[in-house]
Amino acid sequence: MGGRNVHLPESVVVCEVGLRDGLQNEKTQLRTEQKSELLEMFQEAGVRIVEVGSFVNPKAVPQMADTEDVFRRIRPRESAEYRVLVLNAKGLDRAVACGVRKAKFTISASRTHQMKNANRPPEALFEQLGELASSAAARNVVLSGAISTAFGCPFEGEISPEKVAGVAREFEKVGVREISLSDTTGMANPRQVYAMCLEMRERFPGVVWNLHFHNTRGMGLANVLAGMQAGVTRFDASLGGLGGCPFAPGATGNIATEDLLHMCAEMGIETGIDLDRMIAAARLLQEWIGHDLPGAVLKAGKNSDLHRTCEKNEN
Ligand code: ZN
């Protein structure tokens, strides 16, 4: 690589979160068999980290009510990771009961968001986190952390690195080694992401960082690039850009997996995932969900497709 090259990683890990973050924000509920079929397609495409669902109150989030069944149907691949979201000890019990090895626990960097979301202040969650971590460890489950509204909160506005570090410290204290910074409502911008990631990596050198962007305001992939430049190599994405934002009706969901894969492919960054297979999965998902998904590559095709189909209309 010559001196004109921007600093980028050679490879990144793409975590598919559509079955959880995407579906939980959709009105249409997929059947368990449909979820399993998509999950199998992800695996065939080479996806090695899948967020399968969450163990939350099925009355509150009916889309996730069948997470146990989806999990039990997985045909596990070697070195693949199947994670679920848990909110409390009860969720962790359900996870353990169906053989989950990786559970994710989320705490908001914004007090107001945390109160609105779970009706409890962050300190209450810090307390709960200790018990959850030891209970998980005792049962051979790896607990990872997520910090929601890490780049901005619809109620509090800007979130300082101090606040984010405060939550990260609580995770670190109880032995959590992997933390996701989540731009829950799509407020992050690339300059901020770059600075935040550098600062967190400096402050917590023992932590593996993951980035979770929503494309609510069209800044998702730009934020990914900023994260890469700051040395982060793990990114969540959702098939087709499925999902939305509970605080912004009509807004788009996570960055689309195919768009992220396509960008990486164009830039020569290895993902180990077959883009065509994921586009096929996104088409199927779009059909099942019954409305257009926001993914750009899903609509426009890949760069390499265009060379073949548009050569007569160049101008
Ligand atoms: Zn999210």
Side-chain angles (χ1 to χ4, degrees):
M1 293 274 174
R4 287 173 194 269
N5 265 305
V6 59
H7 174 74
L8 291 168
E10 277 174 22
S11 67
V12 296
V13 177
V14 175
C15 321
E16 175 57 52
V17 301
L19 293 177
R20 202 277 304 165
D21 205 351
L23 284 180
Q24 80 174 21
N25 287 304
E26 285 287 340
K27 282 196 193 80
T28 308
Q29 280 194 47
L30 293 191
R31 296 194 314 274
T32 307
E33 307 82 72
Q34 291 174 314
K35 293 183 184 180
S36 299
E37 193 174 331
L38 284 173
L39 207 155
E40 187 57 29
M41 288 175 94
F42 300 158
Q43 308 221 75
E44 283 297 304
V47 176
R48 285 296 167 262
I49 303 184
V50 182
E51 202 160 289
V52 178
S54 56
F55 292 117
V56 295
N57 183 352
K59 285 199 185 86
V61 193
Q63 296 94 328
M64 295 294 113
D66 63 349
T67 297
E68 268 102 350
D69 291 333
V70 179
F71 199 88
R72 287 201 182 98
R73 284 163 177 251
I74 296 173
R75 295 197 295 130
R77 304 297 205 272
E78 212 176 309
S79 74
E81 178 186 308
Y82 310 96
R83 70 184 186 212
V84 296
L85 219 74
V86 298
L87 296 184
N88 47 39
K90 201 174 152 198
L92 184 64
D93 288 344
R94 284 172 65 191
V96 170
C98 69
V100 170
R101 297 265 77 99
K102 182 80 170 270
K104 188 165 108 176
F105 185 70
T106 302
I107 300 177
S108 186
S110 149
R111 166 176 294 268
T112 319
H113 177 259
Q114 184 67 69
M115 289 299 292
K116 297 234 181 211
N117 220 15
N119 202 24
R120 302 169 66 199
E123 302 84 69
L125 272 89
F126 296 159
E127 242 168 71
Q128 189 190 358
L129 174 63
E131 292 159 29
L132 212 60
S134 44
S135 169
R139 291 182 286 177
N140 211 10
V141 174
V142 175
L143 194 67
S144 72
I147 304 176
S148 56
T149 65
F151 300 96
C153 165
F155 310 108
E156 291 187 8
E158 212 174 296
I159 296 290
S160 68
E162 241 1 277
K163 276 188 185 164
V164 177
V167 181
R169 208 168 296 123
E170 297 295 327
F171 277 126
E172 201 189 37
K173 251 193 242 170
V174 299
V176 169
R177 288 287 164 267
E178 185 193 318
I179 302 175
S180 180
L181 297 176
S182 300
D183 185 25
T184 315
T185 60
M187 293 171 73
N189 71 68
R191 180 186 287 254
Q192 174 196 24
V193 168
Y194 184 73
M196 181 78 81
C197 291
L198 280 188
E199 181 158 354
M200 291 308 129
R201 289 190 65 214
E202 241 169 60
R203 286 194 189 206
F204 304 93
V207 167
V208 174
W209 296 96
N210 180 93
L211 289 168
H212 177 103
F213 294 121
H214 283 248
N215 199 34
T216 322
R217 294 173 179 84
M219 291 188 274
L221 287 185
N223 288 330
V224 167
L225 186 63
M228 284 182 189
Q229 289 181 283
V232 177
T233 56
R234 294 164 72 94
F235 301 93
D236 289 355
S238 161
L239 193 68
L242 181 74
C245 168
F247 303 104
T252 61
N254 297 91
I255 53 168
T257 310
E258 328 79 69
D259 293 355
L260 174 57
L261 295 175
H262 182 262
M263 182 176 88
C264 289
E266 290 296 311
M267 296 171 79
I269 297 169
E270 198 58 54
T271 62
I273 301 173
D274 185 320
L275 174 56
D276 290 313
R277 280 177 185 266
M278 291 304 274
I279 293 174
R283 285 211 188 94
L284 184 64
L285 172 64
Q286 185 165 254
E287 209 180 293
W288 284 345
I289 217 80
H291 64 77
D292 274 5
L293 293 177
V297 172
L298 190 58
K299 296 185 179 74
K302 301 179 293 180
N303 281 8
S304 51
D305 297 337
L306 295 176
H307 288 304
R308 284 198 296 273
T309 55
C310 293
E311 53 199 9
K312 282 181 189 135
N313 284 320
E314 272 175 65
N315 56 36

Coordinates of all heavy atoms in Angstrom, one line a residue, residues 17 20-21 24-25 182-184 212-214 244 254, ligand 1:
V17 N -27.6 -8.2 12.5 CA -28.6 -7.9 13.6 C -30.0 -7.8 13.2 O -30.9 -7.5 14.0 CB -28.2 -6.7 14.5 CG1 -26.8 -6.9 15.1 CG2 -28.2 -5.4 13.7
R20 N -32.9 -9.3 15.0 CA -33.3 -8.8 16.3 C -33.6 -7.3 16.2 O -34.8 -6.9 16.2 CB -32.1 -8.9 17.3 CG -32.5 -8.9 18.8 CD -32.6 -7.5 19.3 NE -31.3 -6.7 19.1 CZ -31.3 -5.4 19.3 NH1 -32.3 -4.7 19.6 NH2 -30.1 -4.7 19.1
D21 N -32.6 -6.4 15.9 CA -32.9 -5.0 15.8 C -33.8 -4.6 14.7 O -34.7 -3.7 14.8 CB -31.6 -4.3 15.7 CG -31.6 -2.8 16.2 OD1 -32.7 -2.4 16.6 OD2 -30.6 -2.2 16.4
Q24 N -37.6 -6.3 15.4 CA -38.3 -5.8 16.5 C -39.0 -4.4 16.2 O -39.9 -4.0 16.9 CB -37.4 -5.7 17.7 CG -36.5 -4.5 17.8 CD -35.8 -4.4 19.1 OE1 -35.6 -5.4 19.9 NE2 -35.3 -3.3 19.5
N25 N -38.5 -3.7 15.2 CA -39.1 -2.5 14.8 C -40.0 -2.5 13.6 O -40.4 -1.5 13.0 CB -38.0 -1.4 14.5 CG -37.3 -1.0 15.8 OD1 -37.9 -0.5 16.7 ND2 -36.0 -1.2 15.9
S182 N -23.5 2.1 20.5 CA -24.7 2.1 19.7 C -25.2 3.5 19.4 O -25.5 4.2 20.4 CB -25.8 1.3 20.3 OG -25.4 -0.1 20.5
D183 N -25.4 3.8 18.1 CA -26.0 5.1 17.8 C -27.5 4.8 17.6 O -28.0 4.7 16.4 CB -25.4 5.6 16.5 CG -25.9 7.0 16.1 OD1 -26.4 7.7 17.1 OD2 -25.9 7.4 15.0
T184 N -28.2 4.6 18.7 CA -29.5 4.1 18.7 C -30.5 4.8 17.8 O -31.4 4.2 17.2 CB -30.0 4.1 20.2 OG1 -29.0 3.6 21.0 CG2 -31.3 3.3 20.4
H212 N -22.4 0.1 16.2 CA -23.7 -0.2 15.9 C -24.4 1.1 15.4 O -24.8 2.0 16.2 CB -24.4 -0.8 17.1 CG -25.9 -1.1 16.9 ND1 -26.3 -2.4 16.7 CD2 -27.0 -0.3 17.0 CE1 -27.6 -2.4 16.7 NE2 -28.1 -1.1 16.8
F213 N -24.5 1.3 14.1 CA -25.1 2.5 13.6 C -26.5 2.3 12.9 O -26.7 1.4 12.2 CB -24.2 3.1 12.5 CG -22.8 3.6 13.0 CD1 -21.7 3.0 12.6 CD2 -22.8 4.5 14.0 CE1 -20.4 3.4 13.1 CE2 -21.6 4.9 14.6 CZ -20.4 4.4 14.1
H214 N -27.3 3.3 13.2 CA -28.6 3.4 12.5 C -28.4 4.4 11.4 O -27.8 5.4 11.6 CB -29.7 3.7 13.5 CG -30.2 2.5 14.3 ND1 -31.4 1.9 14.1 CD2 -29.5 1.8 15.2 CE1 -31.5 0.9 14.9 NE2 -30.4 0.8 15.6
G244 N -36.3 0.3 12.1 CA -36.7 1.7 12.2 C -36.1 2.2 13.5 O -35.2 1.7 14.1
N254 N -31.1 0.0 10.9 CA -29.6 -0.1 10.9 C -29.1 0.2 9.5 O -29.8 0.1 8.5 CB -29.2 -1.5 11.3 CG -29.6 -1.8 12.7 OD1 -30.7 -2.4 12.9 ND2 -28.8 -1.5 13.7
Ligands
ZN1 ZN -30.1 -0.6 17.2

